[in-house]
Each structure stands twice: as structure tokens, then as C-alpha cells.
Amino acid sequence: MTISPFTVSRLPEIIFGSGSIRQLASRLRSFGPHILIITGQRSFIDTPAWPTLQAELNTVGITWTWRSVQGEPTPHWVDETVRELHNQNVKAVVGIGGGSPLDAAKAVAGLLPSGHSVMDYLEGVGQGLTYDGPELPFIAVPTTAGTGSEATKNAVLSVQGTEGFKKSFRADALVAQIAIVDPDLLHACPKFLLAANGMDAFTQLLESYVSIKANPFTDALAWSGLEAFVRGFWSAYETELGQPDSGFTDLAYAALQSGITLAQVGLGSVHGLASPLGAFFPIPHGVVCGTLVAEATRVNISALHERHPDSPALTKYAHVGRLLAGNMTLDDKAAQESLVEILSDWTARLGMPTLDSFGYRADDAGRVISNARGGSMKTNPLVLTDEELAHILKARTAQY
């Protein structure tokens, strides 16, 4: 097999493993005496790990300012935080939590030295300026297994409502210097978050695996992530809240790989639709992924058979189908059908809500589709028609 040229974008130093958060305080000593910590509302600070971290920071002589972000970060929240702390001599920014606090911390780290507004750089809705720093060191500590933000260069910011948007502040300089991925932090993750974030990670792995930009490097990472997800997700999901399980390690690994691969080769139709759906309606990102991935996969496979039967994505979908079914003897067509059936079963088993649960209606389809052809849709295995995208939305709307 000939390996075509490819590029690997910047990655953080990755510290992975049980108990690895205990290295955070000592690693922060090299950045300076005062740091900013950004968390979610409760995902980390309500656990024993928060007072333990504070004690460790005191021991090594680090002082800190703490801020929390509720829900998905907005440009206004980022700008207010930057204005407030611009002259506070912050030397590094630590994001601890799910994708929202990590993205918020990533954006703040990029803007604190200059004091600029994030709207100067936000894709599609900002001033369109090129970001060239300076940035503060950013350290990412995920407490959920979903977005993979610890390995990406984009901070996703949202404004929700009729005129809302969900756009990225994106630059290579925003990649975390250090990502500390401690599976033990997942033990306190509520089931509904574990389900939504897990399906986000799975969708990112699947979409990057079949991306038109995929290469042998990312395929190897995506496949190892998919194998880990299949081993660990249901075991972790079915474990009693707060209890350890080896599945959390597999799940944390899968989410990390999903972040690495999406950062290198992009995503697909699920994430293309997720952007406007999350902007116009109060639908959590992981829920969008969990509720759309089966139908989007079905539509992709059908369209590829019809218009691009020689696409390598069809072979890859079959590989994943055999993996999920645990049956390596299935032929490609049976494996593709099995993949869709298993994903549909997961959607039902996890109780993923339909789109209309969040206020989506049939006449919203045109507005969603017209705003769905951004970056993620461009790396889908093929260009889907408006009618095919409308079918995905309709299939996951209970009232129609």
C-alpha cells in the first residue's frame, strides 16, 4: 500500500493514567506563582479532588484565581473574564472539566496577554483577524470523556437563540501545552453526561475514521480508540455512580483519541448538523451526536453505495460494524447493516431524546441545513444533498 503525504498538527504533552491529576501542582511550578483555574459549575469542585488540588497548590507555593462557567461558554463570558483578569499577572490557565470549561479556558489563555476580544478572531461571525498570540500556557484536565478538547486547537463558543451561532476560535497556539487525562475523574460523572459525552467521543472517532482527509496515522489512532470504546463504554456506563471500573480508563483513552483524530482530519455530517442545532436550540452537543449518529451513518452508507460505491469509507464502515457486532466473519454489506442496527439500539438503550424535545420543528429544517455546511460537513465521506440532511433530521423528530 502506498502511503500518501500527510501532516500532523501540534499535539500537547499527554499525561495519561489513574491518579495523574496528582502531577498537576508540581507541573505548574514551572509556569509561575499565580494561575487561573476555570472549571464547570460542579463537575470537579464538588469532588474530593478539588480540596486535594488546593492543598497541593499551597504546598508548592502556587496561588490561584478561580472562575466557573455554566453551560457552553459565550463570547461575552470570555471577554468579561479577560477584561477582569488582564492585569492580574496570571502566568498560566488550567481548564478542569468537560468540553465547556476546557474551551473557555483555552480561549481565555489565548486572549489574556493582549486583552483582545474573542470576536476579533471568531470564525464566521467575528472580525476575521488572524490570531498570532501572544498566549498563556494552557493546561487541560478533562473530567468527562467526550469532546477531546484537551487535544484540539479550537475553542467552541456559542450564542443561543434564533440568531444564535456556534463557532470556533481556532489557532495552533491554542493547543494545550499539557493534557492530564485521569480516568479516575470520570467516576463522579452522572449517567446522562456519561452517555452523551461517550456518544460524542464515539461519533468523533467514527467520523474521523471515514473522513476524506483520513490517513494511516489517524486511522491507527481512531481504530485503537474505537476498540477501547467498545471494550469500556457499557461497563463504565453500567457501573454504580462513584465506583471505579476499568471501563473508565478505556473510555478516557477513546475520548482522547477522538480529540486527536478530529484535530488532524476533521469530522462529518453529524457534527455539521450539531453546530446549528446547538446554536438555535438548547440541545447539549453530546445529545445531538447520540441521537443523530445512527441515522446519519445509515444515510452516508446508502448515498455512498448509490453515488460512490468504490469509496474507502464503505470498507471502513464495514470494519466498524464487525467490531461492534463482535463478528469478524460478516461480509461488508451485512457489517454495514449491523453497524446501523447497533447504533440505533444504542440510541434507544441510552434514551437519547428526539430533536423536538428541545423545541425543534419540521419547518426549522431549512434554517438548520443552510447553516450546516461549515468545516465538519466538508470532510464527510461525500457531499449529502439537502434532502438527505432533511431525512436525518426528520428521522430523529418524534412528531413526524
Side-chain angles (χ1 to χ4, degrees):
M1 181 185 73
T2 301
I3 298 177
S4 300
F6 64 89
T7 300
V8 178
S9 300
R10 174 183 167 187
L11 292 169
E13 176 187 355
I14 297 170
I15 302 171
F16 182 95
S18 175
S20 56
I21 192 175
R22 300 300 298 272
Q23 299 186 43
L24 177 58
S26 62
R27 296 302 299 269
L28 288 172
R29 281 191 296 188
S30 64
F31 296 113
H34 187 70
I35 63 166
L36 170 63
I37 300 175
I38 295 177
T39 71
Q41 287 288 100
R42 302 182 61 183
S43 62
F44 178 73
I45 60 172
D46 282 355
T47 72
W50 175 227
T52 298
L53 175 60
Q54 293 179 79
E56 291 169 346
L57 291 172
N58 283 328
T59 298
V60 298
I62 296 288
T63 61
W64 67 92
T65 297
W66 169 64
R67 293 290 181 272
S68 66
V69 59
Q70 183 174 9
E72 296 184 354
T74 65
H76 176 76
W77 187 95
V78 170
D79 284 353
E80 283 292 303
T81 302
V82 169
R83 274 194 291 269
E84 180 185 355
L85 301 176
H86 173 50
N87 294 314
Q88 298 301 308
N89 202 31
V90 172
K91 298 300 185 183
V93 180
V94 181
I96 307 177
S100 292
L102 263 58
D103 283 359
K106 191 181 301 182
V108 170
L111 297 168
L112 262 182
S114 67
H116 290 173
S117 168
V118 74
M119 293 304 295
D120 290 345
Y121 310 106
L122 207 56
E123 294 177 347
V125 294
Q127 300 301 313
L129 301 182
T130 300
Y131 176 81
D132 54 9
E135 72 283 350
L136 290 179
F138 166 54
I139 298 88
V141 185
T143 63
T144 64
T147 68
S149 181
E150 64 271 16
T152 70
K153 64 181 179 181
N154 54 305
V156 181
L157 306 179
S158 303
V159 172
Q160 205 167 83
T162 304
E163 302 300 321
F165 60 80
K166 192 169 188 176
K167 300 292 184 180
S168 287
F169 172 27
R170 188 190 315 262
D172 288 340
L174 300 182
V175 174
Q177 286 202 14
I178 303 172
I180 296 178
V181 183
D182 188 338
D184 294 351
L185 298 178
L186 302 183
H187 297 169
C189 192
K191 296 297 183 186
F192 73 93
L193 281 179
L194 203 65
N197 291 327
M199 291 308 293
D200 185 13
F202 175 85
T203 303
Q204 290 172 172
L205 289 165
L206 179 63
E207 289 193 323
S208 59
Y209 187 53
V210 300
S211 163
I212 60 171
K213 291 186 177 181
N215 58 65
F217 176 82
T218 58
D219 282 354
L221 297 178
W223 186 255
S224 70
L226 287 164
E227 290 180 318
F229 185 91
V230 170
R231 281 196 309 269
F233 175 71
W234 287 104
S235 178
Y237 180 74
E238 292 168 354
T239 297
E240 185 179 345
L241 184 65
Q243 297 300 307
D245 184 88
S246 62
F248 290 111
T249 298
D250 286 323
L251 190 52
Y253 176 83
L256 173 63
Q257 297 308 317
S258 80
I260 294 173
T261 57
L262 82 85
Q264 305 300 320
V265 297
L267 294 166
S269 59
V270 173
H271 279 81
L273 290 167
S275 180
L277 283 169
F280 299 150
F281 306 97
I283 310 178
H285 178 76
V287 171
V288 175
C289 294
T291 199
L292 293 186
V293 64
E295 194 59 35
T297 301
R298 185 196 309 275
V299 168
N300 266 356
I301 291 172
S302 176
L304 286 168
H305 276 297
E306 181 180 337
R307 302 198 291 275
H308 300 286
D310 296 328
S311 170
L314 283 171
T315 300
K316 289 182 173 182
Y317 278 129
H319 288 334
V320 180
R322 284 187 279 268
L323 174 67
L324 266 59
N327 184 351
M328 298 301 136
T329 68
L330 295 175
D331 63 36
D332 281 4
K333 187 173 187 301
Q336 291 156 7
E337 291 173 350
S338 181
L339 171 61
V340 173
E341 290 171 3
I342 290 170
L343 292 179
S344 297
D345 176 68
W346 286 4
T347 300
R349 191 171 163 188
L350 293 169
M352 288 292 166
T354 52
L355 299 178
D356 48 313
S357 303
F358 301 93
Y360 173 86
R361 296 293 180 265
D363 56 6
D364 293 312
R367 182 163 59 109
V368 170
I369 292 167
S370 66
N371 286 277
R373 297 197 179 276
S376 292
M377 199 69 78
K378 292 177 181 178
T379 46
N380 198 57
L382 80 168
V383 177
L384 296 177
T385 66
D386 285 359
E387 290 74 20
E388 286 165 336
L389 293 176
H391 175 82
I392 295 171
L393 295 170
K394 183 176 181 179
R396 293 303 300 152
T397 308
Q399 59 178 328
Y400 303 107

mmCIF file of all heavy atoms in Angstrom, residues 183-184 187 231-232 234-239 243-250:
data_model
loop_
_atom_site.group_PDB
_atom_site.id
_atom_site.type_symbol
_atom_site.label_atom_id
_atom_site.label_comp_id
_atom_site.label_asym_id
_atom_site.label_seq_id
_atom_site.Cartn_x
_atom_site.Cartn_y
_atom_site.Cartn_z
ATOM 1 N N PRO A 183 -8.434 8.940 34.271
ATOM 2 C CA PRO A 183 -9.725 8.246 34.217
ATOM 3 C C PRO A 183 -10.475 8.251 35.539
ATOM 4 O O PRO A 183 -11.710 8.137 35.553
ATOM 5 C CB PRO A 183 -9.339 6.815 33.813
ATOM 6 C CG PRO A 183 -8.014 6.950 33.146
ATOM 7 C CD PRO A 183 -7.319 8.070 33.844
ATOM 8 N N ASP A 184 -9.773 8.399 36.665
ATOM 9 C CA ASP A 184 -10.446 8.405 37.966
ATOM 10 C C ASP A 184 -11.421 9.562 38.091
ATOM 11 O O ASP A 184 -12.396 9.485 38.857
ATOM 12 C CB ASP A 184 -9.421 8.494 39.100
ATOM 13 C CG ASP A 184 -8.529 7.268 39.193
ATOM 14 O OD1 ASP A 184 -8.818 6.271 38.493
ATOM 15 O OD2 ASP A 184 -7.545 7.311 39.957
ATOM 16 N N HIS A 187 -15.285 8.946 37.515
ATOM 17 C CA HIS A 187 -16.119 8.142 38.411
ATOM 18 C C HIS A 187 -17.335 8.917 38.905
ATOM 19 O O HIS A 187 -18.387 8.322 39.177
ATOM 20 C CB HIS A 187 -15.310 7.661 39.616
ATOM 21 C CG HIS A 187 -14.184 6.758 39.248
ATOM 22 N ND1 HIS A 187 -13.206 6.381 40.151
ATOM 23 C CD2 HIS A 187 -13.860 6.148 38.078
ATOM 24 C CE1 HIS A 187 -12.342 5.582 39.544
ATOM 25 N NE2 HIS A 187 -12.719 5.429 38.291
ATOM 26 N N ARG A 231 -14.724 -1.789 24.274
ATOM 27 C CA ARG A 231 -14.377 -2.528 25.498
ATOM 28 C C ARG A 231 -14.968 -1.876 26.737
ATOM 29 O O ARG A 231 -15.418 -2.558 27.656
ATOM 30 C CB ARG A 231 -12.848 -2.586 25.679
ATOM 31 C CG ARG A 231 -12.112 -3.571 24.875
ATOM 32 C CD ARG A 231 -10.692 -3.780 25.437
ATOM 33 N NE ARG A 231 -9.969 -2.525 25.641
ATOM 34 C CZ ARG A 231 -9.186 -1.953 24.737
ATOM 35 N NH1 ARG A 231 -9.051 -2.512 23.545
ATOM 36 N NH2 ARG A 231 -8.551 -0.832 25.017
ATOM 37 N N GLY A 232 -14.912 -0.530 26.793
ATOM 38 C CA GLY A 232 -15.147 0.136 28.058
ATOM 39 C C GLY A 232 -16.442 0.863 28.283
ATOM 40 O O GLY A 232 -16.854 1.047 29.435
ATOM 41 N N TRP A 234 -19.848 0.480 27.877
ATOM 42 C CA TRP A 234 -21.019 -0.048 28.586
ATOM 43 C C TRP A 234 -20.663 -0.490 29.997
ATOM 44 O O TRP A 234 -21.470 -0.358 30.923
ATOM 45 C CB TRP A 234 -21.658 -1.180 27.787
ATOM 46 C CG TRP A 234 -22.378 -0.642 26.584
ATOM 47 C CD1 TRP A 234 -21.954 -0.684 25.286
ATOM 48 C CD2 TRP A 234 -23.600 0.100 26.593
ATOM 49 N NE1 TRP A 234 -22.851 -0.023 24.488
ATOM 50 C CE2 TRP A 234 -23.877 0.453 25.247
ATOM 51 C CE3 TRP A 234 -24.490 0.470 27.593
ATOM 52 C CZ2 TRP A 234 -25.016 1.177 24.897
ATOM 53 C CZ3 TRP A 234 -25.627 1.193 27.233
ATOM 54 C CH2 TRP A 234 -25.873 1.542 25.914
ATOM 55 N N SER A 235 -19.444 -0.964 30.173
ATOM 56 C CA SER A 235 -19.002 -1.328 31.519
ATOM 57 C C SER A 235 -18.976 -0.097 32.419
ATOM 58 O O SER A 235 -19.461 -0.118 33.554
ATOM 59 C CB SER A 235 -17.611 -1.963 31.458
ATOM 60 O OG SER A 235 -17.142 -2.283 32.746
ATOM 61 N N ALA A 236 -18.424 1.010 31.906
ATOM 62 C CA ALA A 236 -18.390 2.248 32.686
ATOM 63 C C ALA A 236 -19.793 2.794 32.922
ATOM 64 O O ALA A 236 -20.134 3.227 34.036
ATOM 65 C CB ALA A 236 -17.530 3.287 31.970
ATOM 66 N N TYR A 237 -20.619 2.743 31.886
ATOM 67 C CA TYR A 237 -21.969 3.304 31.976
ATOM 68 C C TYR A 237 -22.817 2.563 33.001
ATOM 69 O O TYR A 237 -23.638 3.168 33.710
ATOM 70 C CB TYR A 237 -22.640 3.264 30.602
ATOM 71 C CG TYR A 237 -24.045 3.815 30.591
ATOM 72 C CD1 TYR A 237 -24.277 5.188 30.668
ATOM 73 C CD2 TYR A 237 -25.152 2.963 30.500
ATOM 74 C CE1 TYR A 237 -25.564 5.700 30.668
ATOM 75 C CE2 TYR A 237 -26.435 3.467 30.499
ATOM 76 C CZ TYR A 237 -26.637 4.835 30.578
ATOM 77 O OH TYR A 237 -27.918 5.332 30.582
ATOM 78 N N GLU A 238 -22.641 1.269 33.097
ATOM 79 C CA GLU A 238 -23.462 0.454 33.986
ATOM 80 C C GLU A 238 -22.895 0.339 35.403
ATOM 81 O O GLU A 238 -23.504 -0.278 36.268
ATOM 82 C CB GLU A 238 -23.658 -0.928 33.367
ATOM 83 C CG GLU A 238 -24.520 -0.873 32.100
ATOM 84 C CD GLU A 238 -24.500 -2.163 31.298
ATOM 85 O OE1 GLU A 238 -23.716 -3.083 31.673
ATOM 86 O OE2 GLU A 238 -25.235 -2.243 30.297
ATOM 87 N N THR A 239 -21.734 0.963 35.634
ATOM 88 C CA THR A 239 -21.133 0.952 36.971
ATOM 89 C C THR A 239 -21.849 1.952 37.874
ATOM 90 O O THR A 239 -22.214 3.046 37.453
ATOM 91 C CB THR A 239 -19.642 1.304 36.888
ATOM 92 O OG1 THR A 239 -18.974 0.291 36.121
ATOM 93 C CG2 THR A 239 -19.011 1.382 38.271
ATOM 94 N N GLN A 243 -18.187 4.610 41.674
ATOM 95 C CA GLN A 243 -17.397 3.396 41.823
ATOM 96 C C GLN A 243 -16.383 3.259 40.685
ATOM 97 O O GLN A 243 -16.660 3.639 39.553
ATOM 98 C CB GLN A 243 -18.305 2.167 41.852
ATOM 99 C CG GLN A 243 -19.254 2.140 43.027
ATOM 100 C CD GLN A 243 -18.515 2.154 44.356
ATOM 101 O OE1 GLN A 243 -17.629 1.344 44.603
ATOM 102 N NE2 GLN A 243 -18.870 3.099 45.220
ATOM 103 N N PRO A 244 -15.212 2.715 40.964
ATOM 104 C CA PRO A 244 -14.205 2.527 39.912
ATOM 105 C C PRO A 244 -14.567 1.374 38.991
ATOM 106 O O PRO A 244 -15.303 0.466 39.369
ATOM 107 C CB PRO A 244 -12.932 2.228 40.704
ATOM 108 C CG PRO A 244 -13.421 1.609 41.980
ATOM 109 C CD PRO A 244 -14.726 2.304 42.291
ATOM 110 N N ASP A 245 -14.043 1.426 37.783
ATOM 111 C CA ASP A 245 -14.238 0.340 36.818
ATOM 112 C C ASP A 245 -13.200 0.531 35.727
ATOM 113 O O ASP A 245 -12.895 1.662 35.339
ATOM 114 C CB ASP A 245 -15.646 0.380 36.221
ATOM 115 C CG ASP A 245 -15.913 -0.792 35.289
ATOM 116 O OD1 ASP A 245 -16.359 -1.839 35.774
ATOM 117 O OD2 ASP A 245 -15.668 -0.637 34.074
ATOM 118 N N SER A 246 -12.647 -0.551 35.208
ATOM 119 C CA SER A 246 -11.628 -0.444 34.161
ATOM 120 C C SER A 246 -12.184 0.198 32.895
ATOM 121 O O SER A 246 -11.421 0.731 32.075
ATOM 122 C CB SER A 246 -11.061 -1.825 33.839
ATOM 123 O OG SER A 246 -12.088 -2.684 33.344
ATOM 124 N N GLY A 247 -13.505 0.155 32.742
ATOM 125 C CA GLY A 247 -14.112 0.774 31.571
ATOM 126 C C GLY A 247 -13.842 2.265 31.483
ATOM 127 O O GLY A 247 -13.785 2.831 30.384
ATOM 128 N N PHE A 248 -13.680 2.934 32.624
ATOM 129 C CA PHE A 248 -13.410 4.373 32.598
ATOM 130 C C PHE A 248 -12.063 4.674 31.942
ATOM 131 O O PHE A 248 -11.908 5.686 31.255
ATOM 132 C CB PHE A 248 -13.452 4.952 34.012
ATOM 133 C CG PHE A 248 -14.826 4.997 34.610
ATOM 134 C CD1 PHE A 248 -15.161 4.174 35.678
ATOM 135 C CD2 PHE A 248 -15.793 5.858 34.101
ATOM 136 C CE1 PHE A 248 -16.436 4.218 36.232
ATOM 137 C CE2 PHE A 248 -17.066 5.899 34.647
ATOM 138 C CZ PHE A 248 -17.394 5.089 35.713
ATOM 139 N N THR A 249 -11.076 3.801 32.152
ATOM 140 C CA THR A 249 -9.776 4.001 31.516
ATOM 141 C C THR A 249 -9.909 3.877 30.000
ATOM 142 O O THR A 249 -9.378 4.701 29.240
ATOM 143 C CB THR A 249 -8.760 2.986 32.052
ATOM 144 O OG1 THR A 249 -8.599 3.192 33.460
ATOM 145 C CG2 THR A 249 -7.413 3.146 31.362
ATOM 146 N N ASP A 250 -10.618 2.857 29.544
ATOM 147 C CA ASP A 250 -10.850 2.701 28.106
ATOM 148 C C ASP A 250 -11.605 3.888 27.538
ATOM 149 O O ASP A 250 -11.295 4.377 26.442
ATOM 150 C CB ASP A 250 -11.633 1.412 27.835
ATOM 151 C CG ASP A 250 -10.791 0.153 27.999
ATOM 152 O OD1 ASP A 250 -9.599 0.190 27.629
ATOM 153 O OD2 ASP A 250 -11.321 -0.854 28.497
#
